[in-house]
Amino acid sequence: MRARVHAGDPDAFRELFDEHARSVYNLAFRLTGNWSTAEDVVSLTFLEAWRLRERVDVALDTDAGGGSLRPWLLGIATNVTRNVRRAARRHATALVRLPKDDAVPDIAEEVTSRVDDRRRLALVRTALSALRRPEREVLVLCVWSGLDYAEAAAVLGVPIGTVRSRLSRARKKLSGLVDTAGLRPSGEGREPGTGRGQLEDDRGFAVRSMQENTR
């Protein structure tokens, strides 16, 4: 697959999309909290993957578990999400500077409140918004996307120790908000181990808390 993607095989990219589009979408949604933006991120991620296809390392030792292109795609998606959010902030700033017209009733908030009228999803969104961007990215990559410390470090371009410290801070902040809201199922909160599956307890809580967006 790596050789085919590197060579620009269209069929390989179709397979890549079919296999990993949902993972990219979930990551983008959890970083932005917006379905429409997440869909845009998916499209932009695979366009960027096509542009960067020749950077795929075809010599990577697949027998050592490094053959999957999922971490590579999630890294691209993380950078695309950052760019999309920056563009949205610039757009919002530009709109604020425009002359004010007569007020027009806006039903967007009402519609959104109806769509997001599930207490658990709303509380988790609030908790995530309280995290700094680097903490939120590590949480999404390690907890929801299932990357281990080394994979997340490679995606973000930071040392493994930085991933550990960011994740620890994110978990402490999130834990306080979760306990306050009464969302934590009994028996959870244990420290993660190492390697793949390290965050199974946290992921169980996270997946249950965000189950609405994965249906």
Side-chain angles (χ1 to χ4, degrees), residues 13 55 78 141 177:
F13 269 85
R55 298 187 186 180
T78 301
L141 288 169
L177 290 165

Side-chain angles (χ1 to χ4, degrees), residues 43-65:
S43 299
L44 292 170
T45 294
F46 282 92
L47 285 173
E48 187 70 357
W50 175 263
R51 188 180 70 84
L52 300 175
R53 61 190 181 279
E54 293 184 357
R55 298 187 186 180
V56 172
D57 185 0
V58 296
L60 195 63
D61 184 4
T62 57
D63 293 335

Side-chain angles (χ1 to χ4, degrees), residues 26-145:
N26 286 342
L27 179 139
F29 174 74
R30 286 154 183 160
L31 288 177
T32 66
N34 185 286
W35 281 273
S36 178
T37 302
E39 291 173 354
D40 291 341
V41 169
V42 171
S43 299
L44 292 170
T45 294
F46 282 92
L47 285 173
E48 187 70 357
W50 175 263
R51 188 180 70 84
L52 300 175
R53 61 190 181 279
E54 293 184 357
R55 298 187 186 180
V56 172
D57 185 0
V58 296
L60 195 63
D61 184 4
T62 57
D63 293 335
S68 174
L69 286 168
R70 184 168 174 267
W72 177 65
L73 285 172
L74 294 182
I76 294 175
T78 301
N79 289 330
V80 167
T81 301
R82 291 173 183 171
N83 294 336
V84 168
R85 289 171 66 90
R86 279 195 293 265
R89 285 194 295 269
R90 288 195 295 267
H91 179 68
T93 301
L95 289 179
V96 169
R97 295 172 180 169
L98 294 176
K100 301 297 182 182
D101 295 328
D102 293 336
V104 177
D106 185 1
I107 65 170
E109 292 186 1
E110 180 182 352
V111 173
T112 302
S113 66
R114 291 178 181 177
V115 173
D116 297 338
D117 196 28
R118 298 184 181 184
R119 175 176 174 270
R120 192 175 291 270
L121 178 58
L123 288 172
V124 171
R125 284 186 179 177
T126 300
L128 286 176
S129 67
L131 302 179
R132 295 172 56 246
R133 190 200 73 194
E135 296 165 349
R136 187 166 56 248
E137 289 176 350
V138 167
L139 187 75
V140 169
L141 288 169
C142 290
V143 176
W144 279 299
S145 298

